[in-house]
Amino acid sequence: MTVFCYGQTLGAAEKKPNATTTVVTTVTINGAPKAVFDLITMARLWPQWHPATKGVGGVVERPYGLGDLIHERGRIGDTDFATTWKVVEHARPSKIVLQSQTAPTRITYTFKPGKGTTVFTRKLEYKADSFASVKELEKVMRDQSEQGVKQLKALIEKILTEEAKPLT
């Protein structure tokens, strides 16, 4: 099951120029929460599942932890970007919060256990003014987030399936 939610977080009824936009994507991944958490928190996998990510550096060879920095280079729509993410919350295996050090952008991952599954939610919060040069920004962010979690589910399930196979 995949669930997508989108919305503006506004302090008043009218849309404010620098309001925070939130894109929430949820997917159920076949796998135990600790294993899913550890794989999702390996930044070296980002280019394999998120369409905006073109390259990563910093803490990429192990699951990232509190205070770690991940450098990301990517493309949103037709606009290139570079940012450094800092892990500002870390609660294995239930929650991670990444805060951009270059823009008012935050990504929260939550992991909820099911029966042999993990319900993974990715919440992206950003201010549109930070991406003023991107045409149809909200649509691009929503589309990339949807595509990303679908590809993430497939990647994590593939890795976990391969890990479970005996040597032949």
Side-chain angles (χ1 to χ4, degrees):
M1 177 179 81
T2 305
V3 177
F4 305 106
C5 303
Y6 322 103
Q8 292 278 338
T9 304
L10 303 175
E14 72 276 358
K15 186 174 176 181
K16 296 189 177 177
N18 202 21
T20 299
T21 300
T22 301
V23 178
V24 178
T25 48
T26 299
V27 66
T28 299
I29 299 171
N30 293 314
K34 285 182 182 177
V36 170
F37 182 95
D38 288 347
L39 288 169
I40 288 177
T41 58
M42 291 187 67
R44 69 182 169 92
L45 297 177
W46 290 2
Q48 294 179 50
W49 65 268
H50 201 284
T53 304
K54 303 306 176 200
V56 291
V59 177
V60 297
E61 294 300 322
R62 61 172 168 80
Y64 42 80
L66 187 62
D68 285 340
L69 298 175
I70 302 102
H71 312 290
E72 180 185 23
R73 181 177 45 78
R75 187 167 186 82
I76 298 171
D78 57 0
T79 303
D80 292 330
F81 73 90
T83 193
T84 296
W85 297 98
K86 183 175 185 177
V87 180
V88 296
E89 275 187 59
H90 184 280
R92 182 180 185 261
S94 59
K95 185 177 183 182
I96 283 280
V97 179
L98 302 166
Q99 178 68 52
S100 172
Q101 302 298 284
T102 56
T105 303
R106 175 178 287 241
I107 299 174
T108 303
Y109 296 162
T110 57
F111 305 78
K112 296 205 183 322
K115 292 184 179 180
T117 64
T118 301
V119 177
F120 170 73
T121 300
R122 179 180 183 271
K123 179 180 175 184
L124 168 66
E125 299 169 278
Y126 66 94
K127 293 192 183 289
D129 292 358
S130 300
F131 303 94
S133 64
V134 179
K135 294 178 182 147
E136 298 185 6
L137 176 64
E138 224 174 308
K139 180 182 182 331
V140 170
M141 292 292 219
R142 183 178 60 244
D143 291 350
Q144 287 185 334
S145 291
E146 288 176 8
Q147 181 183 355
V149 295
K150 287 177 186 175
Q151 292 177 169
L152 178 62
K153 173 183 170 60
L155 176 63
I156 299 304
E157 289 178 352
K158 178 183 174 196
I159 291 170
L160 292 174
T161 299
E162 289 298 316
E163 287 180 349
K165 288 182 181 175
L167 286 175
T168 54

